[in-house]
Amino acid sequence: MSTTQTNIEIQKATAERTAEIRECLEDIRARVVSAAQALAVNGESRKIIVAVSKYKPSADILVCYEYGQRDFGENYVQELVDKAKELPFEIQWHFIGTLQSNKAKLLASVPNLHTVQTISSEKIANALNKALPTNRTSQLNVLLQINTSGEDSKSGLSPLTPSSINSSQLSDVQKLAKHIVTSCPNLRLQGLMTIGALDLSLSANETERNADFERLKETRDILERWLQDGIGCSHAVSEGGYVSRGWGWGDECTGKLLVSMGMSSDFEAALKAGSDIVRVGTGIFGSRKTKLWSSS
């Protein structure tokens, strides 16, 4: 195992807890592979599991890390910062909570911050772009948060439709995407995320499609075409397919915008709908206890 970033000693999980987490993680991985099999034939087999470690101790995260897990998600800035200091540098941290601009500098100070999945304003994008250290060697991946369910309790921008993209005035999604690509050189627009209405997944049968997932995919497809055509951000093409070079958007491997949708209770439905990233917490670590960090 790689050494941690500090000399802080992490109390190891018990043998029983270690076995429990490993069993759950192995089960989630198997279910992800199974749910994604239908898409694998089309060359879309690459799926990212973000283990949501909110409120969980570093000992639990270390169990997953030692079992090959590298992507972890946190909802609170201070919690992510504290854990990043204790845990291996090879971890790729995803911030998946609501980000306030006054917390951007603290979050950006984490050297192995990999992705911020909840960007919904130019103010936050600007704050992150400005706060990233000059010695950082790679762009910070960001996802635009889309409110596909239209619920007031959820953050995010309104999804795109074919009619909205044909309007003479840019939508909020277009404006923010363009701003990040053209004015935030330290950020890379990697894709879109949503927290859909849970009842759509729980009530749907095998033949029904989750409307929130479909809205996010439609928004992704529309935005991707607009980025390629509307602001001149076409991709260079290599023998292995699309390769994004210097444009600040798209997955570095495929050049396509990724979608992050699906959590512990509905990640299989999300994967079958075409999700690239799933955020699984309870399914790996079990039910959450109480909040340990007061800062967000």
Side-chain angles (χ1 to χ4, degrees), residues 59 130 154 162 183 231 248 254 281 292:
K130 181 180 179 180
K154 292 187 171 69
S183 303
I231 59 176
T254 65
L292 302 177

Side-chain angles (χ1 to χ4, degrees), residues 127-248:
L128 278 173
N129 183 69
K130 181 180 179 180
L132 286 167
T134 56
N135 62 352
R136 186 181 170 99
T137 58
S138 62
Q139 291 175 304
L140 173 66
N141 294 310
V142 296
L143 306 182
L144 304 187
Q145 183 169 0
I146 308 299
N147 185 352
T148 52
S149 65
E151 296 171 286
D152 293 336
S153 60
K154 292 187 171 69
S155 302
L157 305 170
S158 298
L160 295 176
T161 63
S163 59
S164 67
I165 204 72
N166 292 326
S167 172
S168 58
Q169 185 175 1
L170 296 183
S171 67
D172 290 339
V173 172
Q174 290 169 285
K175 289 177 184 177
L176 183 52
K178 182 176 182 179
H179 178 76
I180 291 171
V181 172
T182 60
S183 303
C184 298
N186 297 320
L187 307 182
R188 182 180 193 86
L189 178 59
Q190 192 186 39
L192 311 174
M193 76 85 77
T194 195
I195 303 172
L198 182 59
D199 58 346
L200 286 179
S201 294
L202 298 181
S203 62
N205 59 39
E206 288 295 320
T207 61
E208 291 177 330
R209 293 185 176 184
N210 183 305
D212 289 336
F213 295 163
E214 295 303 313
R215 287 189 193 100
L216 190 67
K217 288 195 303 176
E218 180 180 50
T219 298
R220 185 269 313 274
D221 293 344
I222 292 172
L223 181 61
E224 194 170 74
R225 288 193 297 269
W226 180 78
L227 284 170
Q228 291 172 337
D229 301 332
I231 59 176
C233 292
S234 58
H235 292 301
V237 180
S238 72
E239 224 174 272
Y242 284 99
V243 179
S244 179
R245 293 177 179 164
W247 295 114

Side-chain angles (χ1 to χ4, degrees), residues 247-268:
W247 295 114
W249 71 275
D251 178 63
E252 290 187 351
C253 296
T254 65
K256 298 178 180 297
L257 292 175
L258 303 182
V259 289
S260 172
M261 54 190 191
M263 298 183 287
S264 290
S265 54
D266 62 357
F267 74 88
E268 286 165 304

Side-chain angles (χ1 to χ4, degrees), residues 271-287:
L271 288 166
K272 291 175 182 177
S275 185
D276 302 293
I277 305 169
V278 291
R279 310 176 300 273
V280 182
T282 303
I284 295 173
F285 296 106
S287 59

Side-chain angles (χ1 to χ4, degrees), residues 12-38:
K12 291 293 189 78
T14 65
E16 182 180 8
R17 178 61 174 159
T18 296
E20 177 188 13
I21 293 174
R22 286 195 170 196
E23 182 179 357
C24 290
L25 180 57
E26 190 170 343
D27 175 65
I28 293 296
R29 286 172 172 170
R31 290 165 64 186
V32 166
V33 170
S34 177
Q37 278 182 342

Side-chain angles (χ1 to χ4, degrees), residues 52-71:
V52 180
S53 45
K54 173 183 176 182
Y55 303 158
K56 294 301 178 182
S58 292
D60 282 2
I61 298 172
L62 198 57
V63 171
C64 291
Y65 174 84
E66 292 177 338
Y67 205 49
Q69 180 67 26
R70 290 296 178 266
D71 293 273

